[in-house]
Amino acid sequence: MDFLLDFSNLEALDVSACGGKGASLARGTQAGFPVPEGAVVSVAAFRAWSRDGRAEQLPPQLETQLAGWLDAWSPASRFAVRSSATAEDSLEHAFAGQHETWLNVPRSEVPKRVRDCWLSLFNERAVAYRRQAGLADDEVEMAVVLQRMIPADRAGVGFCLNPITGAMDEFSIDAGFGVGETVVSGEYPVDHLVIRRSDASIVSAAIANKDRCLVASEDGVVEIAPENPEAPVLDEPRLQALASLLDRVESHYGYPQDVEWAFEEDRLYLLQARPITRLPERWTRDESAERFPNPVSRLCWELVEDGFHRSLAYSFELMGLPPYGGKWFARKGQYVYGNQTAVELFGRLAMGRVPRLDLENLAVQLEQIRREFFWVLELPSLWTRDLDTYLFRLGELHAEQPESMNMAEALDYLQRVRRAGAEYFLPNIAISITQRTLCGMLLHLLEAAVGKENGTSLHTDLLAWCDTKTARVNQDLWELSESLKRNPDMARVLRERGGEALFDSGLLNEDDEVKKHLQRILESHGHREWDFDPYVAPWLETPGLV
């Protein structure tokens, strides 16, 4: 068994073997990013050491493999030795700063620092973090990253979105002179910049007086005073290079990343990439106004919110998207607001999985799409099957006659209705997002085939022939309107005084064509609602509005 895995080793991609940080760096290396050379002391070595009672010495097998790896480096080489826990640097848990990192470590001290990293799993800070995160001690194990130490003259952290506003078209950068610890420790003054994703132009900049920083030296990492402390850390060429790296890293990992980077003169390195675990919530009516245009009662929202977010989690898993721990919609005051950060992010993630179609590579791209969306083929039959179950449950519930129930029984009945609806709704969001994605793909294909203008027109014509529930409702309403046009008296009353007045006019009778059309609509679509809130009566109870 290999206790030491080089970043180029395919086994190093396994988080359970190399921890979050180690697996991420291996993935970056194998994707061609400028990651400093290194290897990972695997979790298997940690387990062997733990079984040996956390001995003073490393497991013999690791000592042998580590000695061989270190012998390949020059005696003057220095290393970064960094903890890499198995639950670390994930979407759920960052563990930032909880475990030990050692910089500019001489070759002879690397084995000692490996053991120090292992021991940091048991320090009070790390244990408290696990308790807060709801993780048991045996759920987290420790790998250790070994990397060539970059004697950086400037380094920092970049976020692949604006962590304050949630803007997806901006990067946020903290930069300082010296090595990265100057920035990540939070104890030294650093420059803070917000730049546009598209062209790396500066949106805002706060240039600090960086009167001290940390640099690598023969004596380890030491504090010095920079030559020109008020100068910006990053000039235009370095900003452009960093913006390009951040954009490529996010595209490759498929999710906004928290990136540690460093420059050695003009050469840029990727030191770490981990998912941003806390996305800023940006509440607007942009996404929710169409779905929830009117006030929503508190009771209604409390009954449906859990089911909606369960569907969100189920749908993202179905689509192969990462989980989202926050809320997509929330009721604020009387209205429902949408978290625009989540809307924009997951909209991009969904579309990012789709290749930009072109005719030259169409066969390969369609095969990729077929693999990516194969689950969609089963969805109609599964949902139809679930519809039968759902309607059967509704029939059973309808037969219970809730009017005769006491308060406790009525509340239980309401919760059972809610659960039945929530279970049926589970794939609904996946259906909605995927439908939008596939329609977008079809549009791109048609534009590539026949040009933008003709492609758009053809796309509209093709979708018009799709048989949907909404299309059927519209057809029935159109037929009702046509029958009304054939009766001028009814049409005039409806136009001048409204639907309720038409009912009171005596013009409608059971044999009338208009009345028959209306009855068919109410029988087929009477359950449809005018508003999301159940306090508003459905079509069946408001035929005048129909």
Side-chain angles (χ1 to χ4, degrees):
M1 177 185 294
D2 286 335
F3 280 178
L4 192 64
L5 301 172
D6 191 85
F7 285 168
S8 60
N9 191 320
L10 289 177
E11 293 183 32
L13 300 173
D14 184 358
V15 173
S16 65
C18 293
K21 188 183 284 92
S24 177
L25 290 169
R27 183 176 175 183
T29 297
Q30 296 179 34
F33 289 109
V35 177
E37 306 94 305
V40 185
V41 177
S42 71
V43 168
F46 168 79
R47 290 172 183 163
W49 172 76
S50 298
R51 286 195 300 268
D52 200 24
R54 304 178 194 173
E56 291 289 332
Q57 301 299 317
L58 301 183
Q61 184 179 346
L62 175 60
E63 283 192 330
T64 301
Q65 293 178 8
L66 187 56
W69 187 80
L70 290 170
D71 283 344
W73 297 85
S74 70
S77 297
R78 296 293 181 112
F79 300 90
V81 183
R82 313 167 73 189
S83 303
S84 179
T86 50
E88 192 172 351
D89 293 351
S90 66
L91 275 166
E92 292 81 16
H93 309 292
F95 277 93
Q98 305 305 316
H99 305 129
E100 293 294 349
T101 288
W102 301 90
L103 301 178
N104 213 36
V105 177
R107 199 174 71 167
S108 61
E109 293 184 16
V110 168
K112 177 181 183 302
R113 294 310 182 194
V114 168
R115 183 176 178 275
D116 288 340
C117 286
W118 285 341
L119 287 170
S120 71
L121 189 65
F122 309 102
N123 67 41
E124 290 184 9
R125 187 174 64 243
V127 171
Y129 184 95
R130 291 198 294 273
R131 297 289 183 273
Q132 186 178 9
L135 294 170
D137 289 339
D138 59 3
E139 287 185 78
V140 185
E141 297 177 296
M142 180 70 77
V144 180
V145 169
L146 310 177
Q147 276 183 289
R148 175 172 70 87
M149 179 69 191
I150 301 300
D153 50 67
R154 59 202 74 210
V157 176
F159 290 90
C160 295
L161 52 71
N162 189 321
I164 304 301
T165 67
M168 304 296 300
D169 59 346
E170 295 176 349
F171 295 140
S172 175
I173 296 169
D174 289 327
F177 292 119
V179 299
E181 193 67 15
T182 298
V183 177
V184 298
S185 70
E187 298 176 1
Y188 293 81
V190 297
D191 294 347
H192 177 71
L193 302 95
V194 175
I195 64 174
R196 287 189 179 85
R197 179 188 292 265
S198 58
D199 59 5
S201 60
I202 296 176
V203 176
S204 64
I207 307 301
N209 178 17
K210 300 166 287 293
D211 56 349
R212 54 201 176 92
C213 68
L214 296 171
V215 298
S217 74
E218 292 184 0
D219 299 321
V221 177
V222 298
E223 184 178 285
I224 66 166
E227 290 183 9
N228 190 356
E230 295 184 356
V233 172
L234 298 171
D235 56 17
E236 178 67 20
R238 290 187 175 92
L239 264 182
Q240 292 286 344
L242 181 54
S244 175
L245 177 66
L246 293 175
D247 193 51
R248 288 184 289 119
V249 165
E250 180 182 334
S251 296
H252 176 72
Y253 285 86
Y255 193 85
Q257 300 287 302
D258 170 359
V259 175
E260 291 183 25
W261 53 268
F263 279 98
E264 183 182 6
E265 296 182 350
D266 293 330
R267 186 170 184 183
L268 175 60
Y269 290 93
L270 172 65
L271 303 182
Q272 182 173 324
R274 59 189 175 204
I276 296 175
T277 54
R278 293 185 179 274
L279 295 172
E281 295 177 338
R282 183 159 46 101
W283 297 103
T284 75
R285 290 278 289 159
D286 296 353
E287 169 74 3
S288 61
E290 182 178 351
R291 300 174 187 267
F292 312 105
N294 301 317
V296 173
S297 66
R298 179 178 174 182
L299 175 61
C300 169
W301 190 247
E302 287 188 356
L303 287 171
V304 302
E305 183 181 23
D306 177 67
F308 177 85
H309 286 99
R310 277 181 58 206
S311 173
L312 198 68
Y314 178 91
S315 296
F316 284 170
E317 182 178 3
L318 196 63
M319 299 171 67
L321 296 175
Y324 179 64
K327 288 189 175 182
W328 194 282
F329 287 122
R331 182 175 177 271
K332 297 180 180 297
Q334 302 297 317
Y335 287 89
V336 175
Y337 283 72
N339 181 358
Q340 201 63 21
T341 301
V343 170
E344 292 177 9
L345 170 60
F346 282 88
R348 280 181 50 193
L349 293 178
M351 288 305 298
R353 304 187 55 168
V354 179
R356 183 73 183 188
L357 299 177
D358 65 81
L359 297 182
E360 289 185 9
N361 301 304
L362 188 58
V364 174
Q365 292 167 338
L366 288 178
E367 182 57 34
Q368 178 183 341
I369 290 169
R370 189 176 291 111
R371 289 196 307 270
E372 198 75 43
F373 292 94
F374 186 78
W375 61 272
V376 176
L377 298 177
E378 297 181 331
L379 204 54
S381 59
L382 290 175
W383 211 28
T384 301
R385 180 203 65 190
D386 292 343
L387 175 61
D388 292 339
T389 303
Y390 175 56
L391 294 177
F392 183 71
R393 286 181 182 173
L394 289 185
E396 289 180 330
L397 289 164
H398 187 68
E400 288 191 36
Q401 300 182 357
E403 299 87 353
S404 62
M405 298 177 181
N406 60 36
M407 186 64 72
E409 292 169 337
L411 180 59
D412 175 71
Y413 177 83
L414 182 61
Q415 294 292 2
R416 285 187 284 132
V417 172
R418 181 187 66 82
R419 284 194 295 271
E423 288 174 13
Y424 180 60
F425 186 74
L426 276 176
N428 189 278
I429 297 172
I431 293 170
S432 177
I433 295 176
T434 303
Q435 183 267 349
R436 186 185 308 175
T437 304
L438 293 174
C439 283
M441 279 193 286
L442 177 61
L443 176 60
H444 293 158
L445 175 60
L446 295 173
E447 288 177 347
V450 297
K452 188 172 182 63
E453 184 175 347
N454 291 332
T456 302
S457 176
L458 183 56
H459 185 257
T460 302
D461 290 342
L462 287 172
L463 293 187
W465 285 97
C466 291
D467 185 20
T468 66
K469 188 66 173 176
T470 300
R472 293 181 185 180
V473 174
N474 289 343
Q475 176 70 23
D476 288 345
L477 290 173
W478 179 81
E479 290 176 359
L480 175 61
S481 71
E482 289 297 298
S483 65
L484 272 163
K485 288 178 183 177
R486 290 190 287 272
N487 191 315
D489 291 337
M490 288 188 188
R492 186 181 64 256
V493 173
L494 181 64
R495 183 172 58 254
E496 294 175 356
R497 296 163 53 197
E500 294 297 334
L502 180 58
F503 274 96
D504 296 336
S505 67
L507 293 173
L508 288 170
N509 59 70
E510 294 301 323
D511 297 327
D512 186 84
E513 179 187 15
V514 173
K515 185 67 175 289
K516 290 179 179 178
H517 271 300
L518 179 61
Q519 285 301 123
R520 282 199 297 270
I521 288 175
L522 295 178
E523 288 171 4
S524 302
H525 315 304
H527 63 284
R528 295 178 72 89
E529 73 283 347
W530 300 105
D531 195 276
F532 179 76
D533 201 304
Y535 278 118
V536 179
W539 287 21
L540 185 62
E541 298 174 31
T542 54
L545 283 175
V546 176

